[in-house]
């Protein structure tokens, strides 16, 4: 599963491009401003991956809590905790904890704290279709990579026109793979434990601790 798509979702800033749609830019800036105002964000989401030609179909659910650069992500039975400096990947199935510094330069490990910022540089965006989903008006923004060698054909970002919250994100690859991330629950400014983003090694005394750095 592509790490990039699983966790690439919300942004803390948008960059306008000369060829981008002004209305799309304004909408994205509204979403960005709203997100910046929250102390923390908690999401429950559904992740789908489909490739008809390769007969691949996968669906799973996950949840993430974010506060600034810190986050705690649960997906596919694995927990990832980032305390702002160190990333802890906990795998109960393997009874292993992998510890590493967060490599923000690695495109394959884009983190929840960046969420939509993967397209800040290198994408042109414009307004797309409007759909009504369960009574909600969802405005889509189409993101097209400037780099013609990109593996991504385009990305569709669905935004609730009323709340200015993200509803879903659809990435279409040139290889025919379609990945969709849909937000089932979007909560903000929730009371969270002070130790939520702290890794307690004593709880994993039976695990193999793999320190990469």
């Amino acid at each position: 599963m592509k790490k990039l798509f699983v966790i690439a979702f919300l942004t803390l800033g948008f960059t306008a491009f000369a060829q981008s749609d002004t209305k799309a830019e304004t909408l994205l800036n509204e979403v960005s401003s709203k997100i910046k105002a929250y102390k923390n964000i908690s999401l429950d989401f559904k992740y789908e991956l489909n490739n008809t030609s390769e007969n691949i179909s996968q669906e799973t659910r996950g949840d993430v809590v974010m506060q600034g650069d810190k986050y705690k992500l649960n997906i596919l039975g694995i927990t990832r905790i980032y305390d702002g400096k160190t990333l802890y990947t906990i795998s109960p199935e393997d009874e292993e904890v992998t510890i590493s510094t967060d490599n923000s330069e690695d495109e394959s490990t884009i983190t929840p704290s960046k969420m939509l910022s993967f397209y800040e540089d290198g994408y042109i965006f414009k307004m797309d279709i409007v759909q009504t989903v369960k009574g909600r008006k969802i405005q889509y923004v189409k993101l097209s990579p400037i780099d013609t060698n990109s593996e991504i054909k385009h990305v569709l970002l669905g935004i609730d026109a009323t709340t200015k919250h993200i509803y879903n994100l659809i990435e279409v690859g040139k290889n025919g793979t379609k990945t969709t991330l849909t937000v089932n629950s979007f909560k903000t400014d929730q009371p969270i434990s002070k130790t939520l983003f702290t890794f307690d090694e004593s709880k994993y005394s039976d695990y193999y601790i793999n320190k990469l750095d």
Side-chain angles (χ1 to χ4, degrees), residues 44-209:
D44 291 318
F45 59 87
K46 179 175 69 173
Y47 170 85
E48 299 171 89
L49 184 149
N50 292 283
N51 187 313
T52 305
S53 62
E54 297 293 335
N55 196 29
I56 297 173
S57 181
Q58 184 178 18
E59 180 178 320
T60 190
R61 292 178 181 272
D63 60 82
V64 61
V65 179
M66 296 170 288
Q67 186 177 59
D69 289 334
K70 301 176 182 180
Y71 66 82
K72 183 175 183 180
L73 170 72
N74 296 298
I75 191 168
L76 295 172
I78 294 175
T79 299
R80 291 164 63 92
I81 299 173
Y82 183 59
D83 62 10
K85 294 181 179 180
T86 305
L87 176 65
Y88 302 88
T89 302
I90 306 166
S91 174
E93 183 178 351
D94 300 324
E95 293 190 340
E96 179 179 1
V97 177
T98 302
I99 303 175
S100 64
T101 55
D102 185 45
N103 185 2
S104 59
E105 299 302 317
D106 184 353
E107 293 184 355
S108 67
T109 56
I110 289 180
T111 63
S113 54
K114 298 178 182 176
M115 292 239 159
L116 279 184
S117 59
F118 68 94
Y119 72 83
E120 273 193 300
D121 298 306
Y123 281 85
I124 294 172
F125 40 78
K126 65 179 181 179
M127 297 293 266
D128 204 84
I129 63 171
V130 177
Q131 289 185 341
T132 300
V133 181
K134 297 179 180 179
R136 299 166 63 189
K137 180 182 176 182
I138 307 299
Q139 172 67 64
Y140 282 89
V141 176
K142 186 175 184 179
L143 313 171
S144 302
I146 296 174
D147 183 4
T148 56
N149 294 319
S150 173
E151 295 180 0
I152 299 172
K153 185 177 180 181
H154 64 260
V155 176
L156 287 170
L157 182 65
I159 299 168
D160 187 310
T162 301
T163 65
K164 299 300 186 294
H165 288 167
I166 305 301
Y167 168 68
N168 69 348
L169 186 149
I170 304 167
E171 179 186 297
V172 179
K174 290 180 179 178
N175 64 353
T177 299
K178 179 181 177 181
T179 43
T180 305
L181 194 91
T182 303
V183 175
N184 296 318
S185 173
F186 190 113
K187 298 179 180 180
T188 60
D189 297 342
Q190 298 294 297
I192 59 176
S193 169
K194 292 181 179 180
T195 60
L196 182 64
F197 308 111
T198 301
F199 174 71
D200 185 353
E201 190 168 340
S202 65
K203 293 181 179 180
Y204 304 95
S205 57
D206 296 333
Y207 282 42
Y208 172 68
I209 306 297

Side-chain angles (χ1 to χ4, degrees), residues 11-16 25 28-29 31-33 116 119-120 125 157:
T11 189
L12 298 180
F14 298 93
T15 300
E25 178 189 344
L28 293 177
N29 282 332
V31 175
S32 176
S33 296
L116 279 184
Y119 72 83
E120 273 193 300
F125 40 78
L157 182 65

